[in-house]
């Protein structure tokens, strides 16, 4: 029987967080030159992931 211990993945996710807010202005990401978005997988054999995007704000 194989035991799957995800403790390191859970600890890293609790430190780094599981959500992200990104400002968008005029239909483009409003980020600085040196800023980026990175996906961190903390498991040795991660499965497929689904990205959920929620947009909210005003259109002028």
């Amino acid at each position: 029987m194989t035991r799957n211990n995800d403790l390191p993945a859970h600890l890293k996710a609790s430190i780094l967080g599981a959500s992200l807010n990104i400002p968008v202005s005029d239909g483009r990401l409003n980020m600085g030159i040196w800023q980026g978005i990175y996906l961190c997988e903390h498991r040795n054999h991660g499965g497929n992931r689904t990205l959920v995007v929620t947009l909210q704000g005003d259109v002028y």
Side-chain angles (χ1 to χ4, degrees):
M1 180 168 154
T2 304
R3 186 174 148 184
N4 186 3
N5 187 350
D6 285 341
L7 179 62
H10 291 290
L11 287 174
K12 290 175 185 174
S14 67
I15 292 169
L16 295 176
S19 65
L20 177 66
N21 292 315
I22 305 167
V24 176
S25 300
D26 295 325
R28 299 180 61 136
L29 296 180
N30 188 0
M31 297 173 52
I33 292 173
W34 300 109
Q35 292 177 316
I37 302 170
Y38 300 93
L39 173 65
C40 300
E41 179 62 66
H42 301 299
R43 293 179 175 164
N44 291 334
H45 304 287
N48 293 334
R49 298 292 181 255
T50 302
L51 176 66
V52 177
V53 176
T54 303
L55 302 175
Q56 67 185 63
D58 296 321
V59 177
Y60 295 97

